[in-house]
Amino acid sequence: MEHASFIFGSWGITAVSVGAYAIWVLRRGRELAKHATREEMPWT
Amino acid sequence: MAGQSGTGTSATRRLGILVILMLATLALCGLWFSAEDVVQGSTVRIMYIHVPSIWTAYIAFGLTALCSGVYLSGKNRSLSWDRVAGAAGEIGVLFVAVSLVTGSMWGRLTWGTYWVWDARLTSTAFLFITYVGYLAVRQLGGTHRQRARRSSVLALLAILEIPLVHFSVTLWRSLHQEASVANPNAKVELDGLMLFSLFLGLVAFTMLFVWLVLHRQRAMMLEDAFSDRGLDVAITARRNEAGA
């Protein structure tokens, strides 16, 4: 594939940045939920 | 304490799995199975993430403005509106950044440069900076209500930039191409799998956005609850001190 480094690079940057944010959001939620009461988590 | 279930539910878990499957299919179609473009060649493969990224950012900022408008309208002053607005704004900033980076990589291959001070690129960079400012304003001190009021006003002003960004290619002479696939007047013939990849990207990124908003606004709800709890503890301590 021509320009493979740019194409895979752009896909890689997207995957890493969005993936890192998603993991951060999940970990942040889990960390906060450890100290939360049931009343503070109406979705449970 | 509620335990370690986090911000997920069975519905978000199912949605998350669906999003992963759709993104994996997008990668296969966009990077391998779809044909190269007759004009752009292999660089068209960057479009399958570049276009969905800015699409998601538009949706995110639209939701930020909508929730901010509902909050300010006074019909429903629930802070949930503000938290959804904040979560969507944060995710929108991420996707604008992705769009700018992937766009500049595509520009390097197509135009020979990573960046030009073109109307579309400049207005998109300005949009990014505006919403970084929106997130900064959310971090200023004060009560949750003060945060909600000031950030809602800013969100309603910032959304005015979206039409400016979108129509910048027609309002000014621009290096960036005009709308092609979505433009009924543009006679663009797209291979079936190329169109499918583009459409799949839009749907997958939109669903990813929904998943992220659900988790992030719940985490924000907990942050607000802990902040209130801390405030309650401080007030009780001051009352005890005063009474002692």
Side-chain angles (χ1 to χ4, degrees), chain B:
Chain B
M1 296 299 157
Q4 296 187 26
S5 57
T7 49
T9 58
S10 59
T12 57
R13 274 187 281 278
R14 279 197 293 271
L15 179 63
I17 291 166
L18 184 62
V19 167
I20 288 170
L21 290 174
M22 289 178 84
L23 291 174
T25 310
L26 173 66
L28 286 173
C29 291
L31 287 172
W32 278 280
F33 297 138
S34 67
E36 293 189 355
D37 187 73
V38 287
V39 179
Q40 297 184 45
S42 60
T43 59
V44 73
R45 299 186 192 285
I46 298 177
M47 287 297 109
Y48 302 132
I49 46 170
H50 174 69
V51 176
S53 297
I54 195 67
W55 160 267
T56 309
Y58 283 176
I59 289 177
F61 297 148
L63 184 63
T64 299
L66 179 70
C67 292
S68 300
V70 171
Y71 179 80
L72 282 181
S73 70
K75 288 175 186 165
N76 188 339
R77 287 268 177 175
S78 166
L79 281 170
S80 297
W81 293 108
D82 172 62
R83 286 189 285 262
V84 173
E90 191 175 285
I91 298 159
V93 165
L94 172 72
F95 279 101
V96 171
V98 166
S99 177
L100 283 169
V101 171
T102 54
S104 71
M105 291 176 85
W106 180 86
R108 177 69 182 83
L109 296 173
T110 310
W111 302 332
T113 180
Y114 285 105
W115 187 264
V116 282
W117 292 103
D118 165 87
R120 170 60 69 82
L121 275 70
T122 308
S123 58
T124 308
F126 190 62
L127 183 75
F128 172 73
I129 292 165
T130 302
Y131 277 91
V132 169
Y134 168 81
L135 296 182
V137 165
R138 292 188 65 83
Q139 297 303 316
L140 295 174
T143 63
H144 302 325
R145 298 255 168 228
Q146 287 170 333
R147 176 196 69 195
R149 205 176 315 124
R150 66 174 172 242
S151 57
S152 295
V153 171
L154 183 55
L156 291 178
L157 292 172
I159 194 66
L160 300 175
E161 281 183 51
I162 298 281
L164 192 74
V165 171
H166 190 71
F167 294 110
S168 60
V169 287
T170 50
L171 289 172
W172 294 284
R173 189 183 296 176
S174 175
L175 193 59
H176 195 284
Q177 70 191 64
E178 292 184 21
S180 48
V181 179
N183 184 356
N185 298 323
K187 292 171 182 169
V188 177
E189 289 183 14
L190 217 57
D191 170 73
L193 198 53
M194 291 169 80
L195 193 62
F196 172 76
S197 300
L198 192 62
F199 183 71
L200 180 64
L202 296 175
V203 175
F205 274 49
T206 305
M207 290 172 76
L208 172 64
F209 165 72
V210 171
W211 183 84
L212 285 169
V213 166
L214 286 171
H215 280 283
R216 186 68 187 108
Q217 62 91 19
R218 285 171 184 166
M220 284 177 163
M221 184 184 282
L222 293 177
E223 286 167 358
D224 282 356
F226 290 176
S227 167
D228 290 340
R229 213 196 279 171
L231 196 64
D232 288 345
V233 170
I235 289 169
T236 308
R238 289 294 293 273
R239 280 184 181 151
N240 289 341
E241 280 174 20

